[in-house]
Amino acid sequence: MGELAKSFNLLCLPLYILISSTACLSHLTGDVAFLNAPDAPVSRHPLRILYSCSESSVAHVQLLVSFDTGSTVIVFHKYWTCEPGRTRTRVLTVRFPDWLVYRPDWMVRGSDWVLSCLLRGWIGSDESPEPDRFSLARVNVFLDVQTPLSRPVKQHLVCASWDAALLRRVRGDPRPQCAKENEVAFLLSTLYASTGENFGIIKTLEPFRSEMLEGLRIKSIYQPWCAFSLWVWLMKPCSSHLCGLLYHIDAENNYTTPALFLTNAGQIHVQLVGDSGQSSAFLSPFKVPVGQWCRLSLEILGRLAKISIACTDGQQQFIKSFEHVFGINPMLDDTHGYFVIGGGKFTRGIEGYYGPTTIYRTKGLPADPAEIELPHIIAKVNITGWLQSCQNFKSELFFNARHTLKRQSGSCLDTYTELLLNHSTEITTEQCTFIESPVNPYKRRVARLTKVLSQKHGSVMASTVGRVLYSYVLRKLSAADGLDVINKLMPFLLQSGCLGDYRALHLSSVLYSSGFGVKRQPYKAWLLSLLAAQGDWRLALLRLGHMHHVGDVDMMPDHELSYAYYINIARQTSTDHKTPTPEQTFVELIRLNDEATLKAQTSENGDLFHWLKLQARSGVAEAEQAMGRMLFWGQQGVSPDIHTAVKHYERGATRLNDPASMYDYGIVLLTGQGVARDVQKGVSYLKKAAEQGLVPAITALGWYYEHFEKDYEKAVNLWEEADAKGHAEAAMNLGAMFHQGFYPGHPADEFKAYQCYLRSAQRGHVNGGIALANVWIHGIPGQVARRPLDAVLIMSLIYYLSAAESGFEAAQFNVAYLCELNTRLLNPALVTDCLLRYYNMSIQAQDHSPYALIRMGDMLYDGQASGRKRVSDAAKMYKQAALKKDPQGWYNLGLLVQEGESLPFDLLSELDLLHLYLTDKQKLITTLFHRCIETNSIDAYLPCTLALFNAHLQSFQMDKNTAIKLIATVSAGLGTLSYIFGLFKRRTTAMSQPSQSSSPSSSQAHVEEES
């Protein structure tokens, strides 16, 4: 009997430990992050660690290496005391062993094959080499480890012994030789649509890995022998004095060798910088034609420069060249600074397209073929074919509609139609007009539409016909009861796009890309997006940015090209935010399975809107704030009405003394939005709001002193105060002051500006993110590296598709969710493709939904993705969901193990379950279900508890001792009842306790440099 009691106590022990440990969970908190973790093992790496803790703890940094034999070795481990207080930064030199970094040789004999390499850090309660389960502050970074023969050779500082050197000479060098390094660098291998603004593609070159090539490159810095080639298509002549083609910027932001610009006369400006710092330039005698693909080539052979051009429109060719001898010695270090294709900080780009761009780093151009051959990507996308067909369509349309164009006094025609009327020949009555042509029924309808519009208005613009066509397509789609109608309407969409409606081009691109209602044609979708993006259509810019960010259409990701598109739309969005108008639409991220947010949507006639209005009139400050916000920005389905919004701000500020309303009213008074500008009155309200502790008001006062009073010292003092309280805009403003050199007592400091931008972006500020991205794309030398259905369903899918293909995560989620909910109305194959495509796109975003991860995991496990089970990939999806504290992720991982599947080593490591890698399977299962319960999700308590109970039963059934089976079953039953009781108690407590709110604040991080 004593043994049975002892067994009962042992079986109950895990339950007591779990309850006591959970109770202590909230006491050990903190934060730890690696600011500059390496991508791969290096000999010595100065690691910057950002850490903080709520109580006296121990901070750890550890390097783990695992081998395919299943063994794991700790090769580096440092720890130090973490005292509570402000956030600190510590610099720790991480030393990697030679056998992990270098290839084997006479000195490095133990270079091993490594399965994985994990750099991790955590805040723990003691000096133990393993993190305990409730160490909430932790960070894991997996390093990319090359195979032994792919690692670099170590340059030893000691000589080999006599016997080792002799043995090496006798045996020779058995190591395999790597392939020769390519001397040609591709700055751009695809197409870029340029709007003619200050946006372009920024690229850098690295030194050669080959010692021979690198020595040759260094030797030719003062005697360049290289060549540059790029393809361009001009839509219009350069509208500025100079437009950027391809140019080199050094680390001091000065132009260096080479710099190619297009002049407003169409000539090519070529500029080089000599070894003495002097610049010299010349102009090409030929001009770059409009409307043709042209290859521009520059060869630099010492002092001799040869510029050449080769153009083709598909039929005729144009080839010219010119040589110039400089009076200076050109200097070119292609690893110094960066190259720009298109517009940049100091110049605008062309209005047109850039194609493949190549640098021949240590040699001249290859021999020119007899015929001009377009690169594969240019021929495949075929911009020339589209523009020529579109021009022919417009010519035919307006030429044959001329008989209906009655010149009226005061009426005007667009330039293109005027040209046709004045210079075309008469058509005899025997000729069949375009309107009567039976060849193409779609063209006949457009011609009739043009005739009706011209008869009604006396003149017609191509863009007007395009807008009417687009409206016609939307009406037809709204009345459709299936996807078949899309295929019939595509010709009208394409004609609308040809006539200048960028909305039609983008929608056509989205449909061809997704395959909704039409055959999927990725290259045609790409072509239409390029056309719309070149016209500065924002959704097209976003779609191309997203496409190049993740890769598509047989192309690799190109983050610099993606940035060129994203920065364009970001600048426009920032400008719009400062100058709101009723025509703007506020974008809200709403997932269709988020019922609470969906219920909050309303309109001017909705019950929620009228209830808020009544509450505002009754003196409820929160209602006044909500009414003002919805009307000012047009949120929650309400149309923008800035003037009415200002009245709500005023009532909240004057009658209710609400600090948030005082802030909003003060801002509109300062800026004159929706009310007459009154600076002093606005400042008085901002001061009242700041006195009540409203942090945004403190920032706004700083802006007043900087903008109106030019009192920079007072402005930065206020911003420093707001920044210390965690305000994103204050950090952004401080960054701008450091960047421009206006911070009192400090010269211009790019790195301090970068630190401010980083804080601002991390707090969610749009302009802070833009400024941070600008630093990352350019880098700061020596300090910051470059990092480079029914009708409702049909319309919902179309509008969500437009946003989804442009990279909006919420839209991508919603498209997949709509497909999942409407399997009855959609083709099963289309539903599967839709779920795989858009849930997969959704999880690529930085802040994605765990539900998308779970659904992707389910489809991978069921074999819907590739026709076979992909258990390992499914487990990774469930792992990511579990790390986002989703109970379903833990639950599904437990089910996988129950079904006999094994979880990989690295996956268990990321889940902090590495100690269970080679242990009993039942222990891993129970741990996973315990984790499911510990997510504290009320909805997950019961299923997770029942799964844990079932796991206990299965474990006990394996034991042959009947008595222990009985006791264990009773123990598990008691555990289950205790959890159910806990669930009931938690629910009743939640209903009885009043809600409490608090405003978190964060202090400015202080940097403490330690070695």
Side-chain angles (χ1 to χ4, degrees), residues 498-724:
C498 172
L499 295 172
D501 196 299
Y502 297 122
R503 298 172 300 172
L505 288 173
H506 176 65
L507 180 54
S508 303
S509 170
V510 166
L511 294 173
Y512 278 126
S513 176
S514 61
F516 271 76
V518 293
K519 181 181 177 182
R520 192 166 181 266
Q521 301 184 49
Y523 280 98
K524 193 166 188 177
W526 188 9
L527 162 69
L528 296 168
S529 286
L530 285 168
L531 295 166
Q534 199 284 317
D536 213 14
W537 187 250
R538 300 188 187 189
L539 286 177
L541 292 167
L542 279 173
R543 181 179 185 274
L544 288 174
H546 178 68
M547 187 176 77
H548 291 292
H549 179 68
V550 300
D552 196 5
V553 196
D554 300 327
M555 72 174 71
M556 296 297 292
D558 187 334
H559 296 157
E560 288 88 355
L561 176 54
S562 174
Y563 174 81
Y565 287 119
Y566 279 148
I567 191 62
N568 188 339
I569 187 67
R571 296 288 186 196
Q572 295 185 61
T573 302
S574 176
T575 303
D576 289 346
H577 187 75
K578 296 175 182 177
T579 55
T581 64
E583 290 76 25
Q584 296 175 5
T585 301
F586 186 89
V587 179
E588 298 177 83
L589 301 182
I590 304 171
R591 295 187 176 92
L592 293 183
N593 66 341
D594 187 350
E595 295 184 8
T597 308
L598 286 172
K599 290 178 181 178
Q601 302 305 299
T602 183
S603 66
E604 290 83 346
N605 299 318
D607 294 337
L608 177 60
F609 185 81
H610 287 297
W611 180 81
L612 283 173
K613 184 184 286 188
L614 179 62
Q615 291 291 96
R617 290 175 179 172
S618 301
V620 179
E622 290 80 3
E624 287 284 13
Q625 295 172 18
M627 289 292 296
R629 185 192 68 249
M630 287 191 297
L631 289 167
F632 193 88
W633 297 108
Q635 294 180 1
Q636 294 181 232
V638 177
S639 300
D641 187 343
I642 295 177
H643 294 284
T644 307
V646 170
K647 294 179 181 177
H648 285 283
Y649 292 155
E650 183 181 11
R651 281 203 298 267
T654 57
R655 300 181 185 179
L656 306 178
N657 290 322
D658 174 47
S661 297
M662 290 178 181
Y663 166 75
D664 290 328
Y665 189 47
I667 290 296
V668 296
L669 285 170
L670 279 177
T671 58
Q673 294 176 327
V675 67
R677 190 173 186 180
D678 191 332
V679 175
Q680 294 306 317
K681 188 176 180 182
V683 171
S684 66
Y685 278 107
L686 290 177
K687 288 181 177 179
K688 291 178 182 178
E691 289 170 359
Q692 296 189 45
L694 191 70
V695 178
I698 299 174
T699 301
L701 281 174
W703 177 80
Y704 162 75
Y705 284 110
E706 182 264 339
H707 190 73
F708 289 94
E709 302 291 340
K710 304 300 180 185
D711 189 341
Y712 296 148
E713 186 170 358
K714 198 163 189 176
V716 297
N717 288 337
L718 289 166
W719 287 334
E720 291 285 6
E721 179 186 351
D723 180 36

Side-chain angles (χ1 to χ4, degrees), residues 931-956:
R931 293 284 181 93
C932 178
I933 296 170
E934 291 167 4
T935 57
N936 294 329
S937 170
I938 294 178
D939 295 332
Y941 250 89
L942 188 57
C944 294
T945 304
L946 292 176
L948 180 61
F949 177 66
N950 182 54
H952 279 302
L953 287 179
Q954 291 181 1
S955 175
F956 301 141

Side-chain angles (χ1 to χ4, degrees), residues 106 109 160-169:
W106 59 271
R109 299 184 182 277
S161 61
W162 176 85
D163 56 342
L166 179 62
L167 188 61
R168 184 180 180 186
R169 285 198 297 270

Side-chain angles (χ1 to χ4, degrees), residues 181 205-210 213-214 217-218 334-335 361:
E181 193 171 359
L205 296 179
E206 298 295 330
F208 287 110
R209 295 188 301 274
S210 166
L213 288 178
E214 180 61 13
R217 187 194 69 82
I218 294 175
D334 58 13
T335 64
R361 302 179 67 180

Side-chain angles (χ1 to χ4, degrees), residues 110-130:
S111 187
D112 290 327
W113 291 80
V114 173
L115 186 64
S116 66
C117 181
L118 173 66
L119 180 65
R120 65 179 182 178
W122 72 92
I123 303 294
S125 57
D126 54 27
E127 300 173 356
S128 172
E130 287 289 333

